[in-house]
Short mmCIF file of all heavy atoms in Angstrom, two decimals:
data_model
loop_
_atom_site.label_atom_id
_atom_site.label_comp_id
_atom_site.label_asym_id
_atom_site.label_seq_id
_atom_site.Cartn_x
_atom_site.Cartn_y
_atom_site.Cartn_z
N PHE A 1 109.48 95.14 88.08
CA PHE A 1 109.20 96.58 88.18
C PHE A 1 109.68 97.26 86.90
O PHE A 1 110.75 96.93 86.38
CB PHE A 1 109.94 97.14 89.39
CG PHE A 1 109.68 98.60 89.67
CD1 PHE A 1 108.53 99.01 90.32
CD2 PHE A 1 110.61 99.57 89.30
CE1 PHE A 1 108.29 100.36 90.60
CE2 PHE A 1 110.39 100.91 89.56
CZ PHE A 1 109.23 101.31 90.21
N TYR A 2 108.87 98.19 86.38
CA TYR A 2 109.19 98.86 85.12
C TYR A 2 108.97 100.37 85.24
O TYR A 2 108.12 100.82 86.02
CB TYR A 2 108.29 98.34 83.98
CG TYR A 2 108.44 96.87 83.69
CD1 TYR A 2 107.72 95.92 84.42
CD2 TYR A 2 109.28 96.41 82.67
CE1 TYR A 2 107.84 94.56 84.16
CE2 TYR A 2 109.40 95.05 82.40
CZ TYR A 2 108.67 94.13 83.15
OH TYR A 2 108.79 92.80 82.88
N ASP A 3 109.72 101.12 84.44
CA ASP A 3 109.55 102.57 84.33
C ASP A 3 109.05 102.93 82.95
O ASP A 3 109.46 102.31 81.94
CB ASP A 3 110.89 103.29 84.58
CG ASP A 3 111.43 103.07 85.99
OD1 ASP A 3 110.64 103.20 86.95
OD2 ASP A 3 112.63 102.78 86.12
N ILE A 4 108.18 103.93 82.88
CA ILE A 4 107.65 104.43 81.60
C ILE A 4 108.09 105.87 81.43
O ILE A 4 107.90 106.71 82.32
CB ILE A 4 106.11 104.37 81.56
CG1 ILE A 4 105.60 102.95 81.77
CG2 ILE A 4 105.58 104.93 80.24
CD1 ILE A 4 104.08 102.83 81.78
N SER A 5 108.66 106.17 80.26
CA SER A 5 109.04 107.55 79.91
C SER A 5 108.30 107.98 78.66
O SER A 5 108.00 107.15 77.79
CB SER A 5 110.55 107.64 79.65
OG SER A 5 111.28 107.21 80.78
N ASP A 6 107.98 109.27 78.57
CA ASP A 6 107.32 109.77 77.36
C ASP A 6 108.36 110.13 76.31
O ASP A 6 109.57 109.89 76.49
CB ASP A 6 106.39 110.93 77.70
CG ASP A 6 107.12 112.18 78.18
OD1 ASP A 6 108.38 112.24 78.05
OD2 ASP A 6 106.46 113.10 78.69
N GLU A 7 107.90 110.71 75.20
CA GLU A 7 108.80 110.99 74.07
C GLU A 7 109.93 111.94 74.43
O GLU A 7 111.01 111.89 73.87
CB GLU A 7 108.00 111.55 72.90
CG GLU A 7 107.44 110.47 72.00
CD GLU A 7 106.68 111.05 70.81
OE1 GLU A 7 105.78 111.87 71.02
OE2 GLU A 7 106.99 110.65 69.66
N SER A 8 109.67 112.82 75.39
CA SER A 8 110.70 113.79 75.78
C SER A 8 111.69 113.19 76.77
O SER A 8 112.65 113.84 77.16
CB SER A 8 110.05 115.02 76.41
OG SER A 8 109.47 114.70 77.67
N GLY A 9 111.45 111.95 77.19
CA GLY A 9 112.32 111.31 78.16
C GLY A 9 111.89 111.51 79.60
O GLY A 9 112.55 111.04 80.53
N THR A 10 110.76 112.18 79.81
CA THR A 10 110.26 112.41 81.17
C THR A 10 109.70 111.13 81.76
O THR A 10 108.93 110.42 81.10
CB THR A 10 109.16 113.49 81.15
OG1 THR A 10 109.68 114.70 80.61
CG2 THR A 10 108.63 113.75 82.56
N HIS A 11 110.08 110.83 82.99
CA HIS A 11 109.56 109.66 83.70
C HIS A 11 108.12 109.97 84.11
O HIS A 11 107.88 110.78 85.00
CB HIS A 11 110.44 109.39 84.93
CG HIS A 11 109.96 108.28 85.80
ND1 HIS A 11 110.19 108.24 87.16
CD2 HIS A 11 109.25 107.15 85.52
CE1 HIS A 11 109.65 107.16 87.68
NE2 HIS A 11 109.08 106.47 86.70
N VAL A 12 107.15 109.30 83.47
CA VAL A 12 105.74 109.60 83.74
C VAL A 12 105.07 108.56 84.64
O VAL A 12 104.03 108.84 85.25
CB VAL A 12 104.93 109.76 82.44
CG1 VAL A 12 105.41 110.97 81.66
CG2 VAL A 12 104.99 108.50 81.58
N ALA A 13 105.65 107.34 84.71
CA ALA A 13 104.99 106.30 85.52
C ALA A 13 105.94 105.13 85.73
O ALA A 13 106.93 104.96 85.00
CB ALA A 13 103.71 105.81 84.84
N SER A 14 105.60 104.33 86.74
CA SER A 14 106.24 103.03 86.95
C SER A 14 105.15 102.04 87.33
O SER A 14 104.05 102.42 87.71
CB SER A 14 107.29 103.11 88.06
OG SER A 14 108.37 103.96 87.70
N PHE A 15 105.49 100.75 87.20
CA PHE A 15 104.48 99.75 87.55
C PHE A 15 105.14 98.43 87.90
O PHE A 15 106.28 98.15 87.51
CB PHE A 15 103.48 99.54 86.41
CG PHE A 15 104.07 99.02 85.12
CD1 PHE A 15 104.04 97.66 84.81
CD2 PHE A 15 104.63 99.89 84.19
CE1 PHE A 15 104.57 97.18 83.62
CE2 PHE A 15 105.17 99.42 83.00
CZ PHE A 15 105.14 98.06 82.71
N TYR A 16 104.42 97.63 88.68
CA TYR A 16 104.82 96.29 89.06
C TYR A 16 104.03 95.28 88.23
O TYR A 16 102.89 95.55 87.83
CB TYR A 16 104.52 96.02 90.54
CG TYR A 16 105.15 96.97 91.52
CD1 TYR A 16 104.52 98.18 91.83
CD2 TYR A 16 106.35 96.66 92.16
CE1 TYR A 16 105.07 99.05 92.75
CE2 TYR A 16 106.91 97.53 93.09
CZ TYR A 16 106.27 98.73 93.38
OH TYR A 16 106.82 99.60 94.30
N THR A 17 104.62 94.09 88.01
CA THR A 17 103.87 92.98 87.42
C THR A 17 104.02 91.74 88.30
O THR A 17 105.06 91.53 88.94
CB THR A 17 104.35 92.63 86.00
OG1 THR A 17 105.72 92.17 86.05
CG2 THR A 17 104.24 93.81 85.06
N ASP A 18 102.97 90.93 88.34
CA ASP A 18 102.95 89.68 89.11
C ASP A 18 102.00 88.75 88.35
O ASP A 18 100.79 88.85 88.48
CB ASP A 18 102.44 89.96 90.53
CG ASP A 18 102.43 88.72 91.41
OD1 ASP A 18 102.78 87.63 90.92
OD2 ASP A 18 102.05 88.84 92.60
N TRP A 19 102.57 87.83 87.54
CA TRP A 19 101.77 87.18 86.49
C TRP A 19 101.26 85.78 86.80
O TRP A 19 100.37 85.31 86.10
CB TRP A 19 102.58 87.12 85.19
CG TRP A 19 102.76 88.44 84.51
CD1 TRP A 19 103.94 89.05 84.19
CD2 TRP A 19 101.73 89.32 84.05
NE1 TRP A 19 103.71 90.26 83.57
CE2 TRP A 19 102.36 90.45 83.47
CE3 TRP A 19 100.34 89.29 84.09
CZ2 TRP A 19 101.64 91.51 82.91
CZ3 TRP A 19 99.62 90.35 83.53
CH2 TRP A 19 100.27 91.44 82.97
N PHE A 20 101.81 85.08 87.81
CA PHE A 20 101.52 83.65 87.89
C PHE A 20 100.67 83.28 89.11
O PHE A 20 100.72 83.96 90.13
CB PHE A 20 102.83 82.85 87.90
CG PHE A 20 103.73 83.17 86.74
CD1 PHE A 20 105.03 83.59 86.93
CD2 PHE A 20 103.24 83.10 85.44
CE1 PHE A 20 105.85 83.90 85.86
CE2 PHE A 20 104.05 83.41 84.35
CZ PHE A 20 105.36 83.82 84.56
N PRO A 21 99.89 82.20 89.00
CA PRO A 21 99.02 81.81 90.12
C PRO A 21 99.81 81.28 91.31
O PRO A 21 100.89 80.71 91.16
CB PRO A 21 98.13 80.71 89.51
CG PRO A 21 98.83 80.24 88.30
CD PRO A 21 99.72 81.33 87.83
N ARG A 22 99.26 81.50 92.49
CA ARG A 22 99.76 80.92 93.74
C ARG A 22 98.54 80.60 94.60
O ARG A 22 97.50 81.24 94.46
CB ARG A 22 100.65 81.91 94.51
CG ARG A 22 101.91 82.34 93.82
CD ARG A 22 102.75 83.23 94.71
NE ARG A 22 102.19 84.55 94.92
CZ ARG A 22 102.36 85.59 94.10
NH1 ARG A 22 103.08 85.46 93.00
NH2 ARG A 22 101.81 86.75 94.38
N ASP A 23 98.71 79.67 95.51
CA ASP A 23 97.60 79.36 96.40
C ASP A 23 97.29 80.54 97.33
O ASP A 23 96.20 80.64 97.89
CB ASP A 23 97.91 78.11 97.23
CG ASP A 23 97.87 76.84 96.39
OD1 ASP A 23 97.28 76.89 95.29
OD2 ASP A 23 98.43 75.83 96.82
N SER A 24 98.26 81.44 97.49
CA SER A 24 98.07 82.60 98.37
C SER A 24 97.60 83.84 97.61
O SER A 24 97.61 84.95 98.15
CB SER A 24 99.38 82.93 99.09
OG SER A 24 100.40 83.24 98.15
N LYS A 25 97.18 83.64 96.36
CA LYS A 25 96.85 84.79 95.50
C LYS A 25 95.46 84.59 94.92
O LYS A 25 95.09 83.48 94.53
CB LYS A 25 97.89 84.86 94.37
CG LYS A 25 97.73 86.00 93.38
CD LYS A 25 98.85 85.87 92.35
CE LYS A 25 98.77 86.90 91.26
NZ LYS A 25 99.81 86.67 90.23
N ARG A 26 94.68 85.65 94.86
CA ARG A 26 93.33 85.52 94.31
C ARG A 26 93.39 85.31 92.80
O ARG A 26 94.37 85.65 92.15
CB ARG A 26 92.47 86.73 94.66
CG ARG A 26 92.73 88.02 93.89
CD ARG A 26 91.66 89.03 94.27
NE ARG A 26 91.86 90.36 93.72
CZ ARG A 26 91.39 90.79 92.55
NH1 ARG A 26 90.72 89.96 91.77
NH2 ARG A 26 91.59 92.04 92.16
N GLY A 27 92.31 84.76 92.26
CA GLY A 27 92.26 84.46 90.83
C GLY A 27 92.01 85.70 89.99
O GLY A 27 91.77 86.79 90.49
N GLY A 28 92.05 85.49 88.68
CA GLY A 28 91.73 86.58 87.76
C GLY A 28 92.94 87.42 87.39
O GLY A 28 94.08 87.08 87.69
N ALA A 29 92.66 88.51 86.69
CA ALA A 29 93.70 89.46 86.30
C ALA A 29 93.17 90.85 86.60
O ALA A 29 91.98 91.11 86.46
CB ALA A 29 94.03 89.32 84.81
N TRP A 30 94.07 91.74 87.01
CA TRP A 30 93.61 93.08 87.37
C TRP A 30 94.74 94.09 87.32
O TRP A 30 95.91 93.75 87.36
CB TRP A 30 92.97 93.08 88.77
CG TRP A 30 93.88 92.81 89.93
CD1 TRP A 30 94.50 93.73 90.73
CD2 TRP A 30 94.27 91.53 90.45
NE1 TRP A 30 95.23 93.11 91.71
CE2 TRP A 30 95.11 91.76 91.57
CE3 TRP A 30 93.97 90.22 90.08
CZ2 TRP A 30 95.67 90.72 92.31
CZ3 TRP A 30 94.53 89.18 90.83
CH2 TRP A 30 95.37 89.43 91.92
N MET A 31 94.36 95.34 87.19
CA MET A 31 95.29 96.47 87.30
C MET A 31 94.82 97.31 88.48
O MET A 31 93.63 97.36 88.79
CB MET A 31 95.25 97.30 86.00
CG MET A 31 95.98 98.64 86.07
SD MET A 31 94.85 99.97 86.56
CE MET A 31 96.06 101.25 87.00
N ASN A 32 95.75 97.94 89.16
CA ASN A 32 95.38 98.85 90.23
C ASN A 32 96.37 100.00 90.28
O ASN A 32 97.48 99.91 89.73
CB ASN A 32 95.33 98.13 91.58
CG ASN A 32 94.32 98.76 92.53
OD1 ASN A 32 93.90 99.90 92.33
ND2 ASN A 32 93.93 98.03 93.57
N ALA A 33 95.99 101.07 90.95
CA ALA A 33 96.83 102.25 91.09
C ALA A 33 97.26 102.39 92.54
O ALA A 33 96.43 102.30 93.45
CB ALA A 33 96.07 103.51 90.65
N PHE A 34 98.55 102.59 92.77
CA PHE A 34 99.06 102.87 94.11
C PHE A 34 99.16 104.38 94.33
O PHE A 34 98.74 104.90 95.36
CB PHE A 34 100.45 102.25 94.30
CG PHE A 34 100.45 100.77 94.47
CD1 PHE A 34 101.27 99.96 93.68
CD2 PHE A 34 99.65 100.14 95.41
CE1 PHE A 34 101.29 98.59 93.83
CE2 PHE A 34 99.66 98.77 95.57
CZ PHE A 34 100.49 97.99 94.78
#
């Protein structure tokens, strides 16, 4: 999990990463918005 801040230090976004294959996970790569 990561946080993104802009130049003024304002927290503008956060995001999750999940990078590796598993048999329980679909193929490919993608981004999505929660």
Side-chain angles (χ1 to χ4, degrees):
F1 183 80
Y2 298 85
D3 296 314
I4 302 178
S5 302
D6 66 12
E7 272 182 307
S8 69
T10 301
H11 175 210
V12 295
S14 295
F15 62 97
Y16 303 85
T17 63
D18 182 358
W19 288 122
F20 306 125
R22 297 185 289 275
D23 289 342
S24 60
K25 181 181 177 185
R26 76 173 173 91
W30 67 96
M31 170 268 165
N32 210 342
F34 286 128

